[in-house]
Amino acid sequence: MHGMINRGLQCYICDIHGADVWEETCERAKLPFYNFESLLTYDDTATEDILSSFSSLIGRSRDEILENFGTYVVSEEALSTVRRLLKFGGDTYVEFLWSLNFVYARAKMAVPDLDVPAMTLTSHTPTQFTLTTRTPKRSYGATLLGLLRALADDYNTLVSITHKRRVLKHVDEDIFDITIHHENLRKCGTLKLVGH
Amino acid sequence: MGSPVPIPVELSRGEAFDNTTLNLLLPMHVQLDAHGKITHVGPTFAKLFDAHTSLEGQYLFQYIQISFPTDMTTYQNLASHYNEALVAQIITHKEFDLKAVAVPMPNNAGVLINFAFGTSLKEAVDHWHLKGKDFSPSDPTVEMLYVFEVQSALLQESQNLNDRLNGERQEAEEKAYTDPLTGLCNRRALDRHIKRLQRRRVPKSFAVFLIDLDHFKSVNDTLGHAAGDRVLQEVADILLNETRPTDIVVRSGGIRAIA
């Protein structure tokens, strides 16, 4: 896994649970170091070991941890670049969802070896969408679930998202069914006040 | 942003594209009449000015200055620089350089100037809060922003990593050339120093003193090694005080030498 992702995971654990928990996680995972470097690429087992030792340490499932991590990536000020780039996709959550079709290629152009899933969005009605992602890295879909939920929050949009995972021969396929209940909650409030 | 995009203002029958099409293809374009007054602005260009500014009917050169080519101070000079790369600034925001190209409209209907952010792209996007849809769908600006943002974040990481590695390298180097007990140089540092003295461009003589501490063994034997260490540290301090800054004092397996 790319060092940027491992480093992100390290920042998340340190920020939310403290440096002690991070160090203990590293020790339990039998890592020979305490710091991931963003510019290096690590063996996938390092990330797996971190996730499983952290999971047993705090008593949360892998999916819960990854979903929280996805939320953290979007909401954390230190990582505002990620939010800024994603929000450059549009003024509304729907516009953002459509821009996800291009994220894989753009991220690959910026950092060729970054582990980003390929994403395809389809719409059924103006408020119902299906996002399908594929990646050879197994069991990371919950991260995207956290990210999608946190961005809906950022856009003041009320959504419900269901997540299904399909294990295919060479890749994991994650399917997110997204229903938009209320777009731009804050603006709606204002409109009601002025009598619309 | 690369070379100016060729502008398809004229169809085969000599009819211009309508403004809706031009707004989509060139959201930062401006159309001028034969006198240099603005007749239409693209939606992104309009965002660069206060919301209440009505640009239409005004002279473009009230708002924009062209800094290159340098003779472009009046609208009349524009015709001699059609199809060339221009550098322009918004008069209220001279910190941003805009790239531009001007082309004549069909049937002497005026001029179309298309603008782009050039090297000011990132700052301009931040300043005017621009989004992906403020650029033409086929424009590579969004992709460029991804590269900018990620590369600058990585560069910062790379500098941090270099700083850390450099600190560790210095520390390791220091350890490699010093005696941990006394802080004096070690045998390896002596070899390096003597090689350096021998390599001097103008050969000069130098001296090496070998000093032996008499009865040192009995200190260790009667008072213990901690006392022996203390003696060595004291001797080291004395030798350092009595030598010049350009000399080095070495502890090498019980032997002290001053070069």
Side-chain angles (χ1 to χ4, degrees):
Chain A
M1 199 69 87
H2 196 281
M4 282 171 97
I5 293 173
N6 286 313
R7 180 81 179 184
L9 208 51
Q10 174 184 343
C11 289
Y12 160 67
I13 296 176
C14 280
D15 277 5
I16 307 294
H17 297 272
D20 291 353
V21 173
W22 168 248
E23 283 173 12
E24 192 167 347
T25 303
C26 292
E27 277 157 23
R28 286 191 181 200
K30 300 204 165 31
L31 279 193
F33 50 81
Y34 288 121
N35 278 307
F36 282 105
E37 293 294 348
S38 308
L39 297 173
L40 301 179
T41 297
Y42 295 85
D43 203 88
D44 284 353
T45 52
T47 318
E48 293 298 330
D49 292 347
I50 285 288
L51 283 172
S52 62
S53 62
F54 181 58
S55 167
S56 65
L57 189 64
I58 65 159
R60 292 289 178 96
S61 74
R62 175 195 176 98
D63 276 2
E64 281 176 303
I65 292 166
L66 287 176
E67 188 183 335
N68 266 327
F69 174 53
T71 308
Y72 172 84
V73 166
V74 176
S75 49
E76 176 55 35
E77 213 34 57
L79 300 168
S80 60
T81 303
V82 179
R83 185 177 59 234
R84 209 138 40 106
L85 284 177
L86 290 172
K87 289 198 74 177
F88 196 73
D91 283 332
T92 67
Y93 191 62
V94 173
E95 284 175 8
F96 153 74
L97 287 178
W98 284 116
S99 75
L100 288 176
N101 284 313
F102 304 106
V103 163
Y104 175 79
R106 286 169 183 166
K108 282 280 169 189
M109 183 180 65
V111 189
D113 50 353
L114 189 63
D115 317 89
V116 190
M119 297 186 251
T120 313
L121 186 86
T122 48
S123 80
H124 315 289
T125 72
T127 57
Q128 283 184 308
F129 301 87
T130 299
L131 179 71
T132 310
T133 69
R134 285 179 169 215
T135 168
K137 308 282 170 172
R138 300 288 184 186
S139 300
Y140 283 93
T143 316
L144 198 55
L145 181 64
L147 204 134
L148 290 169
R149 286 194 170 139
L151 269 163
D153 212 46
D154 209 89
Y155 277 107
N156 294 309
T157 302
L158 186 64
V159 297
S160 52
I161 305 175
T162 60
H163 172 209
K164 286 191 294 275
R165 175 184 174 217
R166 285 176 64 206
V167 182
L168 307 181
K169 194 174 173 196
H170 297 293
V171 293
D172 257 23
E173 189 175 79
D174 288 279
I175 299 146
F176 303 89
D177 284 314
I178 305 165
T179 307
I180 300 195
H181 301 290
H182 237 317
E183 256 201 290
N184 236 329
L185 291 171
R186 209 172 284 159
K187 264 191 193 160
C188 284
T190 333
L191 284 177
K192 270 178 203 145
L193 282 178
V194 293
H196 281 271
Chain B
M1 295 282 306
S3 52
V5 181
I7 300 169
V9 278
E10 204 173 341
L11 296 178
S12 54
R13 290 182 192 161
E15 293 161 0
F17 278 125
D18 64 29
N19 285 342
T20 315
T21 310
L22 282 176
N23 285 350
L24 178 75
L25 294 176
L26 306 169
M28 279 189 50
H29 86 282
V30 179
Q31 294 171 36
L32 308 178
D33 68 12
H35 306 289
K37 279 188 180 173
I38 299 170
T39 55
H40 177 78
V41 295
T44 306
F45 189 82
K47 282 195 176 184
L48 310 184
F49 301 90
D50 288 339
H52 54 80
T53 312
S54 64
L55 293 164
E56 283 165 24
Q58 310 279 333
Y59 289 101
L60 178 69
F61 279 34
Q62 284 175 256
Y63 298 97
I64 292 284
Q65 65 173 36
I66 301 208
S67 59
F68 180 85
T70 47
D71 63 345
M72 287 274 288
T73 45
T74 66
Y75 174 67
Q76 279 66 37
N77 296 348
L78 196 57
S80 54
H81 293 290
Y82 285 153
N83 308 328
E84 292 174 15
L86 313 173
V87 179
Q89 290 85 28
I90 299 169
I91 285 167
T92 50
H93 290 288
K94 289 186 182 168
E95 66 273 30
F96 302 117
D97 271 346
L98 302 177
K99 289 190 78 176
V101 61
V103 292
M105 301 271 273
N107 310 321
N108 292 326
V111 180
L112 183 152
I113 307 181
N114 190 40
F115 291 90
F117 289 115
T119 51
S120 318
L121 174 63
K122 191 172 176 293
E123 292 76 14
V125 164
D126 286 346
H127 185 266
W128 283 291
H129 305 292
L130 301 176
K131 291 279 164 63
K133 65 175 184 182
D134 291 318
F135 298 90
S136 169
S138 56
D139 186 313
T141 299
V142 186
E143 283 73 22
M144 288 193 55
L145 279 171
Y146 264 71
V147 174
F148 276 153
E149 292 276 2
V150 177
Q151 300 288 327
S152 60
L154 283 180
L155 191 64
Q156 185 58 52
E157 281 294 329
S158 159
Q159 276 161 1
N160 295 346
L161 177 60
N162 279 342
D163 287 349
R164 272 199 300 280
L165 291 178
N166 197 35
E168 282 164 21
R169 187 185 58 81
Q170 277 176 354
E171 202 176 304
E173 204 163 81
E174 232 158 72
K175 273 187 196 153
Y177 289 107
T178 46
D179 167 49
L181 175 65
T182 57
L184 295 180
C185 296
N186 63 14
R187 173 69 186 271
R188 195 181 299 150
L190 175 66
D191 291 347
R192 188 175 67 163
H193 193 71
I194 288 182
K195 276 195 196 111
R196 199 154 54 212
L197 292 173
Q198 289 170 333
R199 263 205 315 268
R200 281 190 293 195
R201 208 150 40 83
V202 184
K204 276 194 224 162
S205 56
F206 60 89
V208 181
F209 289 83
L210 270 173
I211 300 173
D212 186 47
L213 284 185
D214 285 343
H215 313 300
F216 178 65
K217 191 171 176 297
S218 69
V219 178
N220 271 340
D221 290 347
T222 55
L223 298 168
H225 282 270
D229 287 351
R230 180 69 201 277
V231 170
L232 288 176
Q233 284 162 348
E234 281 292 326
V235 172
D237 284 348
I238 293 167
L239 290 175
L240 283 173
N241 280 329
E242 297 304 320
T243 51
R244 299 165 302 178
T246 48
D247 299 329
I248 70 164
V249 183
V250 177
R251 177 179 178 230
S252 174
I255 299 169
R256 269 145 225 87
I258 310 164

